[in-house]
Amino acid sequence: MNNKNMKEREEIHKAIWSIADDLRGSVDGWDFKQYILGIMFYRYISENITNYINEGERRAGDTTFDYAKLTDEIAETERKNLVKEKGFFILPSELFCNICKKAKEDENLNETLEKIFNNIENSATGSESEDNFSGLFDDIDVNNNKLGATVTKRNEKLVKILDGIANINLGKYQDNNIDAFGDAYEFLMSMYASNAGKSGGEFYTPQEVSELLTKLAIVGKKSVNKVYDPACGSGSLLLKSEKILGKENVINGFYGQEINITTYNLCRINMFLHDIGYDKFDIACEDTLISPQHWDNEPFDVIVSNPPYSIKWAGDENSLLINDTRYSPAGVLAPKSKADFAFIMHSLSWLAENGTASIVCFPGILYRGGAEQKIRKYLIDNNFVDCIIQLPDNLFFGTSIATCIMVLKKSKNDNSTLFIDATKECVKVTNNNKLTDENIDNIVKIFTDRTDIEYVAKLVSNKEIEENDYNLSVSTYVEKEDTREKIDIVELNKEIEEIVAREQVLRDEINKIISEIEV
């Protein structure tokens, strides 16, 4: 990243921090995130549709055209066409810039914003984009007492948020040297996640981990058909493919499912913030393990995921699940108290024959017995596990454990599994470890080369894994380097003998001196 880009990014981060800092006190930051991100999204789509219309009119010859200054009556005549092209519609009077101008004088600002948000969502009703806009602003409750005990106090907070976001120097969207909106979103997510403990970590995968997962999944690919995440959270993993490959090289778009309604809305907002067209993503809100929503879209040639660790699920309490085509091949279900392998089996089932899935895993699933061992047996006997990578500890918000990555493939060139110990591939940043670009590149190179490296990587035959009771722990196959000081016993004994001999000489001399004194 060049100096200009870094400066732009720092300015955005500083401005966002200032807004958040100004709003601290009565409301927890993790809650305020909803308002900041929601209003930021409101600004984004206002500017997005304005720029889109202005560009069209100026290309047609009207060089001074400005949609923000158009009357609502004239704009209304193009509603149908704009919804078809953009997926939504906003009246000029309801654009972010026009609302900001009169926000301080609007005694009913909360009602004004609520009406606008409803109008934006309703503009997509009956169109192809309806599912992508329905309920998108549900988490931005402008009448919530957390904003203030009275309407006046709530509106004061809303004005501060509007002014703060209006003053962020994002420039013209099409002229940005960085993904300004997307970067602002990710900074806000990381800022709050790092201070929100477990709740933040559940919804946010650090960018560098997302990048590693994605690079592992797209090795050898310059373009992919579809990207899928069965536990997509805020969508950061899905969007890494767009960032690394380029939007035009994710041909049929992004698919994800998320059980948490708030995070589901954040994910859809994130898609729009990254300028992903409504026809290029499909995010669903349901329990992936029980009610998967993308049967008509599978298989996927890239699957990236950081599912929740060892959560409870229905398991064998639901008699239908053992016959589910996603789980039945293993002949056993993941334990009710640990759904990790349910996510893995789901991903494997929906993986294309030439595809790759990279999944963050809790280490315990690699060596525990019972049903989990039987599922590992199925995976190894059918040669689906391509690689297991042990990551450094303290990479994720809210947990200090050293997680792992499991890479799955259905079409492999050998009957072996690569084990990589990447625990040293990190740098210390405050209380957490962080993967640098160099760390990521090193891990991907080791993964790609698929050769043994002493103390780092080992290519193990599936037969040997079978002999080890299907234990997939990296430490079982990659020897730890002994950094203790090596001692030469022979040389040490020789030194001891010399010391003893010298000691005896000294004793003899002391005894001689004492005898002379006594005489």
PDB file of all heavy atoms in Angstrom, residues 250-272:
ATOM      1  N   VAL A 250     -15.002 -13.459  -9.809  1.00  0.00           N
ATOM      2  CA  VAL A 250     -15.939 -14.297  -9.061  1.00  0.00           C
ATOM      3  C   VAL A 250     -17.217 -14.272  -9.896  1.00  0.00           C
ATOM      4  O   VAL A 250     -18.075 -13.415  -9.729  1.00  0.00           O
ATOM      5  CB  VAL A 250     -16.178 -13.768  -7.633  1.00  0.00           C
ATOM      6  CG1 VAL A 250     -17.120 -14.696  -6.868  1.00  0.00           C
ATOM      7  CG2 VAL A 250     -14.850 -13.637  -6.874  1.00  0.00           C
ATOM      8  N   ILE A 251     -17.329 -15.220 -10.791  1.00  0.00           N
ATOM      9  CA  ILE A 251     -18.266 -15.120 -11.911  1.00  0.00           C
ATOM     10  C   ILE A 251     -19.727 -15.102 -11.482  1.00  0.00           C
ATOM     11  O   ILE A 251     -20.496 -14.226 -11.875  1.00  0.00           O
ATOM     12  CB  ILE A 251     -17.999 -16.267 -12.915  1.00  0.00           C
ATOM     13  CG1 ILE A 251     -16.565 -16.155 -13.430  1.00  0.00           C
ATOM     14  CG2 ILE A 251     -18.993 -16.206 -14.076  1.00  0.00           C
ATOM     15  CD1 ILE A 251     -16.061 -17.367 -14.169  1.00  0.00           C
ATOM     16  N   ASN A 252     -20.122 -16.069 -10.682  1.00  0.00           N
ATOM     17  CA  ASN A 252     -21.533 -16.171 -10.306  1.00  0.00           C
ATOM     18  C   ASN A 252     -21.825 -15.731  -8.876  1.00  0.00           C
ATOM     19  O   ASN A 252     -22.893 -16.006  -8.337  1.00  0.00           O
ATOM     20  CB  ASN A 252     -22.044 -17.599 -10.533  1.00  0.00           C
ATOM     21  CG  ASN A 252     -22.221 -17.905 -12.010  1.00  0.00           C
ATOM     22  OD1 ASN A 252     -22.704 -17.070 -12.757  1.00  0.00           O
ATOM     23  ND2 ASN A 252     -21.784 -19.073 -12.440  1.00  0.00           N
ATOM     24  N   GLY A 253     -20.869 -15.080  -8.246  1.00  0.00           N
ATOM     25  CA  GLY A 253     -21.161 -14.390  -7.010  1.00  0.00           C
ATOM     26  C   GLY A 253     -20.892 -15.103  -5.705  1.00  0.00           C
ATOM     27  O   GLY A 253     -20.188 -16.111  -5.645  1.00  0.00           O
ATOM     28  N   PHE A 254     -21.492 -14.531  -4.633  1.00  0.00           N
ATOM     29  CA  PHE A 254     -21.179 -14.875  -3.261  1.00  0.00           C
ATOM     30  C   PHE A 254     -22.422 -15.417  -2.553  1.00  0.00           C
ATOM     31  O   PHE A 254     -23.489 -14.826  -2.630  1.00  0.00           O
ATOM     32  CB  PHE A 254     -20.663 -13.639  -2.531  1.00  0.00           C
ATOM     33  CG  PHE A 254     -19.528 -12.948  -3.244  1.00  0.00           C
ATOM     34  CD1 PHE A 254     -19.789 -12.022  -4.250  1.00  0.00           C
ATOM     35  CD2 PHE A 254     -18.223 -13.244  -2.933  1.00  0.00           C
ATOM     36  CE1 PHE A 254     -18.755 -11.392  -4.922  1.00  0.00           C
ATOM     37  CE2 PHE A 254     -17.177 -12.618  -3.597  1.00  0.00           C
ATOM     38  CZ  PHE A 254     -17.436 -11.694  -4.599  1.00  0.00           C
ATOM     39  N   TYR A 255     -22.236 -16.518  -1.828  1.00  0.00           N
ATOM     40  CA  TYR A 255     -23.345 -17.173  -1.149  1.00  0.00           C
ATOM     41  C   TYR A 255     -22.966 -17.428   0.309  1.00  0.00           C
ATOM     42  O   TYR A 255     -21.840 -17.867   0.597  1.00  0.00           O
ATOM     43  CB  TYR A 255     -23.689 -18.503  -1.826  1.00  0.00           C
ATOM     44  CG  TYR A 255     -24.162 -18.343  -3.251  1.00  0.00           C
ATOM     45  CD1 TYR A 255     -23.262 -18.117  -4.288  1.00  0.00           C
ATOM     46  CD2 TYR A 255     -25.518 -18.408  -3.561  1.00  0.00           C
ATOM     47  CE1 TYR A 255     -23.684 -17.955  -5.596  1.00  0.00           C
ATOM     48  CE2 TYR A 255     -25.961 -18.247  -4.871  1.00  0.00           C
ATOM     49  CZ  TYR A 255     -25.037 -18.025  -5.882  1.00  0.00           C
ATOM     50  OH  TYR A 255     -25.472 -17.865  -7.176  1.00  0.00           O
ATOM     51  N   GLY A 256     -23.880 -17.153   1.202  1.00  0.00           N
ATOM     52  CA  GLY A 256     -23.589 -17.384   2.610  1.00  0.00           C
ATOM     53  C   GLY A 256     -24.853 -17.568   3.416  1.00  0.00           C
ATOM     54  O   GLY A 256     -25.951 -17.197   2.985  1.00  0.00           O
ATOM     55  N   GLN A 257     -24.687 -18.139   4.596  1.00  0.00           N
ATOM     56  CA  GLN A 257     -25.814 -18.317   5.510  1.00  0.00           C
ATOM     57  C   GLN A 257     -25.358 -17.966   6.917  1.00  0.00           C
ATOM     58  O   GLN A 257     -24.235 -18.277   7.324  1.00  0.00           O
ATOM     59  CB  GLN A 257     -26.326 -19.761   5.458  1.00  0.00           C
ATOM     60  CG  GLN A 257     -27.638 -19.962   6.204  1.00  0.00           C
ATOM     61  CD  GLN A 257     -28.363 -21.230   5.781  1.00  0.00           C
ATOM     62  OE1 GLN A 257     -28.181 -21.722   4.672  1.00  0.00           O
ATOM     63  NE2 GLN A 257     -29.179 -21.772   6.667  1.00  0.00           N
ATOM     64  N   GLU A 258     -26.255 -17.306   7.653  1.00  0.00           N
ATOM     65  CA  GLU A 258     -25.927 -16.836   9.000  1.00  0.00           C
ATOM     66  C   GLU A 258     -27.165 -16.945   9.876  1.00  0.00           C
ATOM     67  O   GLU A 258     -28.259 -16.523   9.476  1.00  0.00           O
ATOM     68  CB  GLU A 258     -25.429 -15.387   8.939  1.00  0.00           C
ATOM     69  CG  GLU A 258     -25.241 -14.711  10.277  1.00  0.00           C
ATOM     70  CD  GLU A 258     -24.271 -15.438  11.188  1.00  0.00           C
ATOM     71  OE1 GLU A 258     -23.237 -15.938  10.689  1.00  0.00           O
ATOM     72  OE2 GLU A 258     -24.566 -15.514  12.404  1.00  0.00           O
ATOM     73  N   ILE A 259     -27.013 -17.502  11.063  1.00  0.00           N
ATOM     74  CA  ILE A 259     -28.157 -17.731  11.943  1.00  0.00           C
ATOM     75  C   ILE A 259     -28.525 -16.497  12.758  1.00  0.00           C
ATOM     76  O   ILE A 259     -29.680 -16.322  13.136  1.00  0.00           O
ATOM     77  CB  ILE A 259     -27.870 -18.928  12.888  1.00  0.00           C
ATOM     78  CG1 ILE A 259     -29.156 -19.395  13.576  1.00  0.00           C
ATOM     79  CG2 ILE A 259     -26.781 -18.579  13.897  1.00  0.00           C
ATOM     80  CD1 ILE A 259     -28.993 -20.687  14.340  1.00  0.00           C
ATOM     81  N   ASN A 260     -27.554 -15.621  13.009  1.00  0.00           N
ATOM     82  CA  ASN A 260     -27.799 -14.431  13.828  1.00  0.00           C
ATOM     83  C   ASN A 260     -28.352 -13.304  12.958  1.00  0.00           C
ATOM     84  O   ASN A 260     -27.706 -12.874  12.003  1.00  0.00           O
ATOM     85  CB  ASN A 260     -26.490 -14.000  14.500  1.00  0.00           C
ATOM     86  CG  ASN A 260     -26.660 -12.805  15.402  1.00  0.00           C
ATOM     87  OD1 ASN A 260     -26.836 -11.688  14.923  1.00  0.00           O
ATOM     88  ND2 ASN A 260     -26.601 -13.021  16.705  1.00  0.00           N
ATOM     89  N   ILE A 261     -29.543 -12.810  13.280  1.00  0.00           N
ATOM     90  CA  ILE A 261     -30.222 -11.828  12.437  1.00  0.00           C
ATOM     91  C   ILE A 261     -29.433 -10.530  12.308  1.00  0.00           C
ATOM     92  O   ILE A 261     -29.350  -9.931  11.229  1.00  0.00           O
ATOM     93  CB  ILE A 261     -31.656 -11.536  12.968  1.00  0.00           C
ATOM     94  CG1 ILE A 261     -32.409 -10.585  12.031  1.00  0.00           C
ATOM     95  CG2 ILE A 261     -31.632 -11.014  14.383  1.00  0.00           C
ATOM     96  CD1 ILE A 261     -32.741 -11.146  10.696  1.00  0.00           C
ATOM     97  N   THR A 262     -28.823 -10.078  13.413  1.00  0.00           N
ATOM     98  CA  THR A 262     -28.041  -8.843  13.374  1.00  0.00           C
ATOM     99  C   THR A 262     -26.844  -8.986  12.445  1.00  0.00           C
ATOM    100  O   THR A 262     -26.570  -8.121  11.607  1.00  0.00           O
ATOM    101  CB  THR A 262     -27.568  -8.462  14.790  1.00  0.00           C
ATOM    102  OG1 THR A 262     -28.705  -8.190  15.599  1.00  0.00           O
ATOM    103  CG2 THR A 262     -26.671  -7.234  14.748  1.00  0.00           C
ATOM    104  N   THR A 263     -26.134 -10.093  12.593  1.00  0.00           N
ATOM    105  CA  THR A 263     -24.949 -10.314  11.769  1.00  0.00           C
ATOM    106  C   THR A 263     -25.329 -10.558  10.317  1.00  0.00           C
ATOM    107  O   THR A 263     -24.604 -10.170   9.396  1.00  0.00           O
ATOM    108  CB  THR A 263     -24.152 -11.508  12.311  1.00  0.00           C
ATOM    109  OG1 THR A 263     -24.151 -11.462  13.729  1.00  0.00           O
ATOM    110  CG2 THR A 263     -22.723 -11.459  11.827  1.00  0.00           C
ATOM    111  N   TYR A 264     -26.468 -11.199  10.117  1.00  0.00           N
ATOM    112  CA  TYR A 264     -26.994 -11.413   8.766  1.00  0.00           C
ATOM    113  C   TYR A 264     -27.214 -10.071   8.065  1.00  0.00           C
ATOM    114  O   TYR A 264     -26.842  -9.889   6.891  1.00  0.00           O
ATOM    115  CB  TYR A 264     -28.302 -12.202   8.886  1.00  0.00           C
ATOM    116  CG  TYR A 264     -29.254 -12.106   7.718  1.00  0.00           C
ATOM    117  CD1 TYR A 264     -28.941 -12.679   6.487  1.00  0.00           C
ATOM    118  CD2 TYR A 264     -30.483 -11.468   7.862  1.00  0.00           C
ATOM    119  CE1 TYR A 264     -29.838 -12.602   5.423  1.00  0.00           C
ATOM    120  CE2 TYR A 264     -31.386 -11.394   6.812  1.00  0.00           C
ATOM    121  CZ  TYR A 264     -31.052 -11.963   5.592  1.00  0.00           C
ATOM    122  OH  TYR A 264     -31.946 -11.887   4.552  1.00  0.00           O
ATOM    123  N   ASN A 265     -27.786  -9.107   8.789  1.00  0.00           N
ATOM    124  CA  ASN A 265     -27.990  -7.785   8.202  1.00  0.00           C
ATOM    125  C   ASN A 265     -26.664  -7.088   7.925  1.00  0.00           C
ATOM    126  O   ASN A 265     -26.489  -6.422   6.905  1.00  0.00           O
ATOM    127  CB  ASN A 265     -28.851  -6.924   9.128  1.00  0.00           C
ATOM    128  CG  ASN A 265     -30.313  -7.336   9.108  1.00  0.00           C
ATOM    129  OD1 ASN A 265     -30.790  -7.886   8.120  1.00  0.00           O
ATOM    130  ND2 ASN A 265     -31.027  -7.079  10.194  1.00  0.00           N
ATOM    131  N   LEU A 266     -25.703  -7.244   8.841  1.00  0.00           N
ATOM    132  CA  LEU A 266     -24.384  -6.647   8.635  1.00  0.00           C
ATOM    133  C   LEU A 266     -23.718  -7.233   7.396  1.00  0.00           C
ATOM    134  O   LEU A 266     -23.041  -6.527   6.646  1.00  0.00           O
ATOM    135  CB  LEU A 266     -23.495  -6.888   9.860  1.00  0.00           C
ATOM    136  CG  LEU A 266     -23.840  -6.119  11.132  1.00  0.00           C
ATOM    137  CD1 LEU A 266     -22.876  -6.505  12.249  1.00  0.00           C
ATOM    138  CD2 LEU A 266     -23.818  -4.629  10.901  1.00  0.00           C
ATOM    139  N   CYS A 267     -23.900  -8.523   7.175  1.00  0.00           N
ATOM    140  CA  CYS A 267     -23.294  -9.173   6.019  1.00  0.00           C
ATOM    141  C   CYS A 267     -23.860  -8.609   4.725  1.00  0.00           C
ATOM    142  O   CYS A 267     -23.122  -8.303   3.782  1.00  0.00           O
ATOM    143  CB  CYS A 267     -23.527 -10.682   6.086  1.00  0.00           C
ATOM    144  SG  CYS A 267     -22.726 -11.594   4.740  1.00  0.00           S
ATOM    145  N   ARG A 268     -25.179  -8.450   4.676  1.00  0.00           N
ATOM    146  CA  ARG A 268     -25.783  -7.892   3.465  1.00  0.00           C
ATOM    147  C   ARG A 268     -25.328  -6.446   3.244  1.00  0.00           C
ATOM    148  O   ARG A 268     -25.034  -6.035   2.109  1.00  0.00           O
ATOM    149  CB  ARG A 268     -27.311  -7.964   3.561  1.00  0.00           C
ATOM    150  CG  ARG A 268     -27.847  -9.388   3.514  1.00  0.00           C
ATOM    151  CD  ARG A 268     -29.361  -9.392   3.415  1.00  0.00           C
ATOM    152  NE  ARG A 268     -29.986  -8.838   4.610  1.00  0.00           N
ATOM    153  CZ  ARG A 268     -31.250  -8.421   4.661  1.00  0.00           C
ATOM    154  NH1 ARG A 268     -32.006  -8.476   3.586  1.00  0.00           N
ATOM    155  NH2 ARG A 268     -31.757  -7.949   5.779  1.00  0.00           N
ATOM    156  N   ILE A 269     -25.261  -5.680   4.341  1.00  0.00           N
ATOM    157  CA  ILE A 269     -24.757  -4.310   4.229  1.00  0.00           C
ATOM    158  C   ILE A 269     -23.328  -4.317   3.697  1.00  0.00           C
ATOM    159  O   ILE A 269     -22.952  -3.519   2.829  1.00  0.00           O
ATOM    160  CB  ILE A 269     -24.826  -3.601   5.600  1.00  0.00           C
ATOM    161  CG1 ILE A 269     -26.281  -3.269   5.948  1.00  0.00           C
ATOM    162  CG2 ILE A 269     -23.966  -2.338   5.618  1.00  0.00           C
ATOM    163  CD1 ILE A 269     -26.463  -2.701   7.338  1.00  0.00           C
ATOM    164  N   ASN A 270     -22.526  -5.243   4.208  1.00  0.00           N
ATOM    165  CA  ASN A 270     -21.130  -5.330   3.785  1.00  0.00           C
ATOM    166  C   ASN A 270     -21.022  -5.610   2.294  1.00  0.00           C
ATOM    167  O   ASN A 270     -20.123  -5.105   1.610  1.00  0.00           O
ATOM    168  CB  ASN A 270     -20.415  -6.430   4.581  1.00  0.00           C
ATOM    169  CG  ASN A 270     -18.921  -6.208   4.672  1.00  0.00           C
ATOM    170  OD1 ASN A 270     -18.408  -5.164   4.276  1.00  0.00           O
ATOM    171  ND2 ASN A 270     -18.214  -7.185   5.191  1.00  0.00           N
ATOM    172  N   MET A 271     -21.920  -6.430   1.761  1.00  0.00           N
ATOM    173  CA  MET A 271     -21.915  -6.706   0.322  1.00  0.00           C
ATOM    174  C   MET A 271     -22.133  -5.411  -0.459  1.00  0.00           C
ATOM    175  O   MET A 271     -21.421  -5.119  -1.424  1.00  0.00           O
ATOM    176  CB  MET A 271     -23.016  -7.708  -0.024  1.00  0.00           C
ATOM    177  CG  MET A 271     -22.792  -9.099   0.530  1.00  0.00           C
ATOM    178  SD  MET A 271     -21.389  -9.920  -0.256  1.00  0.00           S
ATOM    179  CE  MET A 271     -20.812 -10.917   1.119  1.00  0.00           C
ATOM    180  N   PHE A 272     -23.123  -4.628  -0.035  1.00  0.00           N
ATOM    181  CA  PHE A 272     -23.395  -3.375  -0.731  1.00  0.00           C
ATOM    182  C   PHE A 272     -22.239  -2.388  -0.564  1.00  0.00           C
ATOM    183  O   PHE A 272     -21.898  -1.655  -1.497  1.00  0.00           O
ATOM    184  CB  PHE A 272     -24.698  -2.763  -0.215  1.00  0.00           C
ATOM    185  CG  PHE A 272     -25.933  -3.466  -0.684  1.00  0.00           C
ATOM    186  CD1 PHE A 272     -26.752  -4.132   0.214  1.00  0.00           C
ATOM    187  CD2 PHE A 272     -26.275  -3.479  -2.030  1.00  0.00           C
ATOM    188  CE1 PHE A 272     -27.899  -4.787  -0.221  1.00  0.00           C
ATOM    189  CE2 PHE A 272     -27.413  -4.133  -2.471  1.00  0.00           C
ATOM    190  CZ  PHE A 272     -28.231  -4.783  -1.574  1.00  0.00           C
TER     191      PHE A 272
END
